[in-house]
Amino acid sequence: MTTLASAGVPACVIAAHGTRDPHGVAVGRALIERVRGRLPGVPVHEGYVELVEPPIAAAVRAAFAGGAERAVVVPLMLGTGTHVRDDIPEAIAAGLADEPASGPGGIAASLDRVRYARPLGADPRLLDAVMNRATAAADDWAEPGERPLRDLGVVFLGRGAKVAEANADHARLARLFAERTGASVEAAFIQVTRPSLPEALGRLAMLGHRRIVVAPNFLLPGLLRTWMREQVQAWAATHPDVPVRIAEVIGDCDDLADVVADRYREAAGELAPTAGEAGAPVYLAGLRLAGREVLVVGAGHVADRRVPRLLEAGARVRLISPTLSVRLRGLVRSGAEIAWEQRPYADGDVGSAWYVLAATNDPEVNARVAGAAEAARVFCVRADAARLGTAWTPAVERAAGLTVAVVGNRDPRRSVRVRDALLAALHD
């Protein structure tokens, strides 16, 4: 029978906020059980920033004490606020600091054995979940055959953070909510920043809306949900002519469990190999791309480096991006073999490409590109998460009539150092 330690399966530590609300604790633990069902064979631990036991540091210790050689910490949080940026990483470090120098099986419990997954963020599945709950709250307001939220006033309510980027992400989601539903949407926050929930309700009423839905972009029941209900009740008491309905939080559901499991898989794919693993798990081959179409999605720093190499190989580069870097713009203007389509990626763009590079700054778009390429049996490099693609880009250089390429298992800087050492040996 294969044991966990010999199988090398990374443990999953779900890092949640915590709440004094017993119902919120129960819903959160039901969600964690649902995630376990999506990760068979993966030990799943739970830890909390505050208010609920165990703390995150203890959950990290428990993951290694249970026999895992590696672990992935997934923040059960939407944005990149203070908890995600500071509190959870500090808790991870505290959990590792309390570990002995060598844990079970002789594996050092150190930072290179842990990956910190990105927050749940603007995943379209979670936006769908919020819209579904808002639709359910307003279902009987719609005329037969109409979209339930069309032309209604909607307050898209977020937590609010001290980190401006997190608040900006919420405002962006509110815009997407409006585009997809036809509702008149106001972004608001329950704490820390403005506009507040009462302010957003007042603005919608001032614009003439006499039916308003509050759609909370909250994961689980807790204090934020309580504050939301209290503030809506207080506002409604002074505006009896404007009925307001409150949608439920996302809660324990398949969509949320799927996103958490995907964040784990994404980060687990980037973990360093355990002792004894040899080399990168790829089959090395040289691609002859001369005259063949290569699709590049995104035109930032990665494309800056890769597109000239593709052109050197004779590829016909099809570049899809709303904007271009200065270098790539110069190449396009010079008449290089680049067909630039000034727009975002769309389904079906893989088309007849022989090779694909997903290099946008949006992981969700990169995932769509890689998924479409795999469905078409076209090899694809994911610049943001190499192990989630089907091809890796080596560190390459040409000298003395040879092309030297080095593919590392995780550390691109080491690949470059090895490549340069080989080049130096060729010149000796």
Side-chain angles (χ1 to χ4, degrees):
M1 181 176 178
T2 303
T3 65
L4 170 63
S6 64
V9 177
C12 175
V13 177
I14 297 177
H17 184 278
T19 177
R20 291 189 178 92
D21 183 341
H23 176 56
V25 174
V27 172
R29 286 183 167 150
L31 171 68
I32 290 169
E33 285 302 315
R34 195 182 294 265
V35 173
R36 285 192 175 100
R38 280 155 172 73
L39 297 174
V42 177
V44 178
H45 302 262
E46 60 186 279
Y48 299 88
V49 173
E50 58 185 359
L51 303 175
V52 179
E53 295 291 328
I56 294 166
V60 171
R61 289 194 296 272
F64 286 100
E69 298 171 347
R70 298 171 286 178
V72 171
V73 179
V74 181
L76 189 63
M77 298 182 186
L78 289 168
T80 54
T82 303
H83 289 320
V84 169
R85 291 193 175 193
D86 299 328
D87 298 337
I88 297 176
E90 289 171 6
I92 295 170
L96 293 173
D98 291 339
E99 282 293 303
S102 182
I107 300 299
S110 55
L111 282 171
D112 63 352
R113 298 292 173 182
V114 177
R115 274 293 172 274
Y116 185 29
R118 60 191 176 97
L120 308 184
D123 192 286
R125 290 167 290 187
L126 298 184
L127 188 58
D128 285 344
V130 176
M131 288 191 294
N132 289 339
R133 283 145 187 73
T135 297
D139 187 53
D140 63 336
W141 278 350
E143 296 296 329
E146 283 188 350
R147 290 155 64 186
L149 298 177
R150 185 173 182 82
D151 298 327
L152 291 183
V154 173
V155 178
F156 187 71
L157 186 63
R159 179 187 185 91
K162 295 178 182 178
V163 179
E165 290 86 348
N167 299 327
D169 287 343
H170 179 72
R172 173 178 172 271
L173 282 177
R175 179 64 186 181
L176 291 174
F177 191 108
E179 294 282 352
R180 293 176 60 179
T181 62
S184 178
V185 179
E186 291 288 324
F189 303 92
I190 199 68
Q191 63 176 8
V192 180
T193 191
R194 299 174 63 187
S196 67
L197 173 54
E199 287 171 338
L201 289 168
R203 175 168 172 76
L204 287 170
M206 181 184 68
L207 292 173
H209 290 284
R210 291 298 175 263
R211 290 176 175 177
I212 299 175
V213 176
V214 177
N217 191 29
F218 302 157
L219 294 179
L220 300 170
L223 188 58
L224 302 183
R225 179 173 176 263
T226 301
W227 288 346
M228 172 183 65
R229 292 177 177 273
E230 291 173 349
Q231 291 181 23
V232 169
Q233 289 170 3
W235 188 88
T238 61
H239 299 79
D241 58 330
V242 183
V244 180
R245 293 186 179 174
I246 304 173
E248 192 48 88
V249 301
I250 294 172
D252 170 32
C253 64
D254 288 340
D255 284 334
L256 181 51
D258 288 339
V259 175
V260 173
D262 284 351
R263 294 295 181 271
Y264 164 83
R265 295 187 189 100
E266 178 182 286
E270 290 295 306
L271 268 167
T274 57
E277 288 187 39
V282 297
Y283 179 82
L284 290 178
L287 298 181
R288 299 182 64 186
L289 295 175
R292 295 182 169 93
E293 180 181 307
V294 172
L295 174 65
V296 178
V297 183
H301 295 302
V302 174
D304 252 7
R305 300 193 306 271
R306 306 280 173 81
V307 168
R309 291 288 194 183
L310 292 168
L311 294 174
E312 288 174 10
R316 294 185 294 105
V317 175
R318 183 175 170 227
L319 181 60
I320 296 177
S321 177
T323 60
L324 285 181
S325 69
V326 173
R327 184 182 188 188
L328 291 175
R329 188 176 295 276
L331 286 173
V332 170
R333 288 175 174 172
S334 71
E337 192 73 23
I338 302 175
W340 176 37
E341 299 180 25
Q342 189 176 7
R343 59 175 178 82
Y345 171 79
D347 293 339
D349 279 342
V350 169
S352 59
W354 288 70
Y355 186 67
V356 175
L357 171 61
T360 76
N361 60 3
D362 186 336
E364 303 301 335
V365 173
N366 291 340
R368 286 172 55 207
V369 175
E374 183 160 2
R377 297 186 178 184
V378 176
F379 285 103
C380 175
V381 174
R382 268 194 69 168
D384 62 322
R387 286 177 177 262
L388 297 181
T390 51
W392 292 4
T393 301
V396 177
E397 196 55 79
R398 295 179 177 86
L402 296 174
T403 298
V404 176
V406 178
V407 180
N409 205 347
R410 189 179 65 89
D411 186 348
R413 293 179 181 176
R414 185 181 180 216
S415 299
V416 170
R417 291 196 300 271
V418 173
R419 178 203 66 189
D420 291 346
L422 290 171
L423 287 171
L426 288 173
H427 288 295
D428 286 346

